[in-house]
Amino acid sequence: MFLQHIIDIIESVAPLSYQEDWDNSGLQVGNRSADISSALLTTDVTEPVVREAITRHCNLIVSHHPLLYRGLKTISGNTPQERIVETAIRNGIAIYSSHTAMDAYLHGVSGRMAEKLGVADYRLLVSTGESCGLGVIGKLPEPV
């Protein structure tokens, strides 16, 4: 499956237009035409996560938090971000992040937490558009 197809699936529920202005969701590292055979899902892209992706032969890391919020000025291996980018490129690993775009999706991060906690009839706390907003509110099965 091509990376672009996976991106299309993610963005069909959490389009980049949902993200906050300060965020940098989307493709962080990689070529959209790359053939993806295996993916690793994580909250944060760290050096141990990239090593695990290499060990498990994953050529895509999908993270919640972006690796890159601001552009890199160099890739010289002096910072963890520089080393991660360099290692990912050398090992053919793409990195895609869906941070506030996934947070804003009704059935995204907040919705899934609500489901796990047994919250019924949850809805967006603050709506910023159709099926997107900030947080969810609903009813617990019984008072806590």
Side-chain angles (χ1 to χ4, degrees):
M1 180 178 296
F2 292 112
L3 177 56
Q4 183 60 55
H5 184 69
I6 295 168
I7 291 170
D8 290 343
I9 293 168
I10 294 168
E11 292 180 4
S12 72
V13 295
L16 295 180
S17 61
Y18 283 12
Q19 76 178 312
E20 296 293 321
D21 292 340
W22 52 265
D23 196 13
N24 190 34
S25 290
L27 184 60
Q28 304 272 296
V29 174
N31 184 321
R32 292 174 183 273
S33 64
D35 191 21
I36 302 300
S37 59
S38 184
L40 185 148
L41 307 178
T42 186
T43 303
D44 295 297
V45 182
T46 62
E47 291 177 279
V49 166
V50 176
R51 285 194 296 273
E52 182 176 351
I54 293 166
T55 300
R56 294 180 179 268
H57 307 286
C58 297
N59 56 349
L60 171 62
I61 296 172
V62 178
S63 69
H64 183 63
H65 297 126
L67 170 66
L68 307 170
Y69 281 95
R70 295 169 195 80
L72 294 176
K73 297 196 184 261
T74 62
I75 302 177
S76 58
N78 289 327
T79 69
Q81 285 138 331
E82 291 174 10
R83 289 189 296 274
I84 289 168
V85 168
E86 181 180 24
T87 303
I89 291 170
R90 283 190 179 175
N91 288 277
I93 300 171
I95 300 173
Y96 183 92
S97 303
S98 185
H99 184 209
T100 57
M102 190 61 75
D103 285 341
Y105 172 55
L106 173 61
H107 303 292
V109 177
S110 295
R112 292 292 293 152
M113 285 192 296
E115 290 169 10
K116 292 289 183 186
L117 294 170
V119 175
D121 302 322
Y122 67 86
R123 65 190 183 286
L124 291 169
L125 180 62
V126 177
S127 178
T128 58
E130 186 179 324
S131 295
C132 72
L134 302 173
V136 297
I137 189 169
K139 296 181 181 187
L140 289 170
E142 56 186 62
V144 189

